[in-house]
Amino acid sequence: MATVTIRDVAKRAGVGIATVSRVLNESPLVSDETRHRVLAAIAELDYSPSAVARRLSRGKSMAVAVIAPFFTRRSYVERLQGIENVLSTSGYDLILYNVETVARRDECLRAVPRGERLDGLLILSLTPDDDEVRQFAALGVPAVLIDAYHPALPTVQIDDVAGTRTAVQYLIDLGHRRIAYIGETLDQNPLKFQPINDRYQGYRAALDEAGIPFCPEYHRQGKYGWREARHMTHELLDLPEPPTAVFAYSDTMAFGVLEAAQQRGLDVPGQLSVIGFDDVEIAQYFRLTTVRQPLHESGARGAELLLECMDSDDGVASPAVGPRHIVQPTELVIRSTTANVATIDLNAEVAY
Amino acid sequence: MATVTIRDVAKRAGVGIATVSRVLNESPLVSDETRHRVLAAIAELDYSPSAVARRLSRGKSMAVAVIAPFFTRRSYVERLQGIENVLSTSGYDLILYNVETVARRDECLRAVPRGERLDGLLILSLTPDDDEVRQFAALGVPAVLIDAYHPALPTVQIDDVAGTRTAVQYLIDLGHRRIAYIGETLDQNPLKFQPINDRYQGYRAALDEAGIPFCPEYHRQGKYGWREARHMTHELLDLPEPPTAVFAYSDTMAFGVLEAAQQRGLDVPGQLSVIGFDDVEIAQYFRLTTVRQPLHESGARGAELLLECMDSDDGVASPAVGPRHIVQPTELVIRSTTANVATIDLNAEVAY
DNA sequence: TGCCCAATTGGAACCGGTTCCATGCTGCCT
DNA sequence: AGGCAGCATGGAACCGGTTCCAATTGGGCA
């Protein structure tokens, strides 16, 4: 119970505290004989050094904070896994901060890096403003952004515009002209997720390039979640001229689209094509055509980048080259929820 | 950049460091006038106290470690969310340790509580042995178990045996006699998850009670995951006398059962009844009949219990009453994957 | 044999807070 | 007017490590 300290060990081994410290830190400046005596004393006393004290005197805390919005969403869980995998082999602890509101976002971005309790910051999908970035620098805390961008910070991203454009382009190539977009609310995007804008832009761009006029009715936005997506899909299908294809902002929302189609006895992909985004693990189950982004790897790369920054003590990786901006590739994974537009799609026989 | 310390603030405000500390800790022993001067100095210098130093001198680290196996599985994510919700309002940091191997399990359970970097331990699904529990006590680190049991520690659990028995009982009541069990491997259960044994026992118990002989062929075990479950289901359906109902160890595995059925054009629940376990969020999507356990709440309750333990400085909640063992209720949620056993089930027409 | 250098080692300062204890001061009571 | 209580405050020790620096010792070389 009474905590045994380095001084107890020193006394027991009949050496000075500095020597014990050397043994603990595997300094070569200790004779074998002394080392063994110290190790014996450590074993006998069942001593383990206080990480806190070590942190204070070393000025390093051996911990990394991960700030993630809605970490329960599948895409974040997979990224988190990538981060954890890298961190767990590096000796750094992973401190998790979940963000679901703007207030909490501000609190995390401002308060968390203070107090020198962490050596690095990994931020998912949230974009710090210039003030906050300045503060990171002032505090000497290296930060890496995943799925977000800031010119002064290393980032790991994908090209959401291009990924979406490719997907919608594919639908167009299949002959679709009435293509809907179901996404998270664009207008009120309190946490300012960049993909919300970018994917919508990619959709518009693909339409433009093909000379297909944008139809506001086909653009639906609502809360994240399959239930909401299902609801929006029903609205879409109630239109006098319903779409023949739907691009969904995320796989999760695509599942809602699939369910709505099923509820109406619409054949997918015969009567409705559906594309998602992310390629989360269960997308394969649904045979969902989707835009794959390397979720797990984005987390891993981000964590690696951060480790680099923390090693180079200037706090910025790749000296004098400025922060690295990594753009990972996306890939259209074609499964079974997309097909050529039906030539005759009016005699939709209701199965149930 | 140069870190500003409490001494800088003291100098700036023209007071002693003790006074600054008092202001920081909202001690009433400071005059209003002095307090304001100090606060002004803090603001001017943009000072923020070092959490590490505070931890060292106070002996509290304001952090809780959460040790979770396979934290990416949906059931753990939901529990984690419950934990996070409670912890984030309490001022404690959440340090996440993911466990996927026995080696890592041992490392986490032994090394993590050392080093006084945390005030409490929340362990999911892993059962520490007596030595480890003794060490927690010796180190003065309160620990709470979620989805696991140890007599000396507070625990939050469900009754897996009863939950499963109720589910299988329900299948029996529907007239099923050929009831299969698809689960995680019983024999090699390296992390010793208790539900793996308990749910199987519940299955056997329900069979016994109804006087239905256990058929080893109907008991399939394999790795966790819907792909593996799908495979096992196909084996089951290839039997000369295939089961008419399947109890799956988890919802995720139940999804694999559903897929196998779909691949064969078997109508669920017309020709095959399926029950899962957990009631993860997406189970509703599949209209899966399942045994609901309060995942989110189990995390929240566990975290609350831990906070109680940490407050009462003897490290054990509810003084002199011994550790609390909370058993949360399970509930059979009947949706659309279960039905009366088909009276004629041989002319299964293959749809595709 | 004497000297210098390298290898070991111990002491003490330091990291940045908290807190015990002593001190100065004011004000009230007798 | 003297004394004491009590508030407000500053100094210094302390938490448990790391690390600089000085000291001791032994061996090699001139």
Side-chain angles (χ1 to χ4, degrees), chain A residues 84-207:
Chain A
E84 199 278 337
N85 287 168
V86 170
L87 248 35
S88 68
T89 62
S90 74
Y92 283 90
D93 284 342
L94 188 169
I95 308 182
L96 180 64
Y97 295 92
N98 183 36
V99 171
E100 306 206 340
T101 63
V102 180
R104 171 85 170 156
R105 186 214 95 102
D106 292 345
E107 182 203 332
C108 280
L109 256 38
R110 290 202 202 294
V112 167
R114 290 171 166 272
E116 52 191 38
R117 70 188 128 186
L118 39 96
D119 297 325
L121 212 48
L122 220 33
I123 303 175
L124 300 192
S125 301
L126 263 20
T127 308
D129 63 35
D130 291 347
D131 269 353
E132 287 158 344
V133 171
R134 244 191 304 278
Q135 206 207 17
F136 299 160
L139 260 23
V141 177
V144 170
L145 265 36
I146 297 176
D147 188 38
Y149 181 83
H150 190 285
L153 260 23
T155 57
V156 179
Q157 286 187 287
I158 56 164
D159 187 338
D160 282 284
V161 178
T164 307
R165 191 166 47 199
T166 304
V168 176
Q169 183 65 55
Y170 173 67
L171 291 172
I172 293 169
D173 290 347
L174 287 175
H176 293 277
R177 289 297 173 271
R178 309 208 302 270
I179 303 171
Y181 180 98
I182 284 190
E184 271 199 269
T185 33
L186 248 174
D187 308 324
Q188 41 151 320
N189 176 4
L191 261 18
K192 295 192 199 130
F193 291 160
Q194 205 168 306
I196 293 190
N197 297 306
D198 286 0
R199 293 183 194 169
Y200 177 66
Q201 263 186 44
Y203 163 74
R204 293 294 299 267
L207 255 38

Side-chain angles (χ1 to χ4, degrees), chain A residues 15-16 18-19 22 30-31 34 56-57:
Chain A
V15 300
T19 304
R22 286 191 195 97
V30 196
S31 72
T34 311
L56 178 58
S57 52

Side-chain angles (χ1 to χ4, degrees), chain A residues 38-95:
Chain A
V38 171
L39 290 175
I42 288 178
E44 287 165 27
L45 265 39
D46 190 32
Y47 164 79
S48 53
S50 157
V52 179
R54 177 172 291 177
R55 284 167 191 190
L56 178 58
S57 52
R58 267 220 278 252
K60 286 202 67 178
S61 59
M62 294 307 288
V64 166
V66 177
I67 301 181
F70 306 108
F71 80 101
T72 55
R73 292 187 187 175
R74 188 65 212 177
S75 55
Y76 290 108
V77 170
E78 293 188 19
R79 276 195 265 248
L80 228 38
Q81 187 181 29
I83 293 171
E84 199 278 337
N85 287 168
V86 170
L87 248 35
S88 68
T89 62
S90 74
Y92 283 90
D93 284 342
L94 188 169
I95 308 182

Side-chain angles (χ1 to χ4, degrees), chain B residues 15-16 18-19 22 31 34:
Chain B
V15 300
T19 304
R22 286 191 196 99
S31 71
T34 311

Side-chain angles (χ1 to χ4, degrees), chain A residues 205-248:
Chain A
L207 255 38
D208 283 356
E209 279 162 26
I212 300 174
F214 167 65
C215 166
E217 295 252 277
Y218 286 169
H219 175 218
R220 298 278 154 173
Q221 38 183 328
K223 276 204 273 193
Y224 185 94
W226 55 268
R227 267 170 271 256
E228 289 75 8
R230 180 183 63 194
H231 177 71
M232 290 188 264
T233 306
H234 278 307
E235 289 179 347
L236 238 26
L237 296 175
D238 282 337
L239 290 176
E241 217 177 26
T244 61
V246 177
F247 171 89

Side-chain angles (χ1 to χ4, degrees), chain B residues 105-128:
Chain B
R105 186 214 95 103
D106 292 345
E107 182 202 332
C108 280
L109 256 39
R110 290 201 202 296
V112 166
R114 290 172 167 272
E116 52 191 40
R117 71 188 126 186
L118 38 97
D119 297 325
L121 211 49
L122 221 32
I123 303 176
L124 300 193
S125 300
L126 263 20
T127 308

